[in-house]
Amino acid sequence: MRTVYAELSRAGIRATPNRVAVLTLFRDNPVEHFSADQIYRRLAADTESFSLASVYRTLSHLLEMGLIT
């Protein structure tokens, strides 16, 4: 979990609960490919104020910063 926070910090973005949850999902499943809907369904129950729109925003941020491809 620390590495996720460190990755976000190095990228210069805040470690919000949504960003941490999405990046952790990708780091825990490195060979899986997820759609935004699949990410939302997996994480919505565990994370407060998590919406499909926030998944898209989070994916956009992580992609811009080079943390996901």
Side-chain angles (χ1 to χ4, degrees), residues 6-33:
E7 286 183 75
L8 292 169
S9 179
R10 278 193 300 273
I13 56 177
R14 284 187 308 128
T16 64
N18 291 351
R19 290 176 185 159
V20 169
V22 171
L23 191 55
T24 299
L25 178 67
F26 278 97
R27 295 303 180 249
D28 289 347
N29 302 283
V31 295
E32 299 228 16
H33 299 278

Side-chain angles (χ1 to χ4, degrees), residues 11-67:
I13 56 177
R14 284 187 308 128
T16 64
N18 291 351
R19 290 176 185 159
V20 169
V22 171
L23 191 55
T24 299
L25 178 67
F26 278 97
R27 295 303 180 249
D28 289 347
N29 302 283
V31 295
E32 299 228 16
H33 299 278
F34 299 104
S35 69
D37 189 56
Q38 288 172 321
I39 293 168
Y40 172 72
R41 288 178 189 202
R42 281 192 173 203
L43 300 177
D46 299 332
T47 307
E48 286 184 31
S49 70
F50 206 69
S51 68
L52 189 55
S54 66
V55 170
Y56 279 106
R57 281 191 302 272
T58 300
L59 289 172
S60 177
H61 274 317
L62 297 176
L63 184 61
E64 276 181 35
M65 295 303 168
L67 296 172

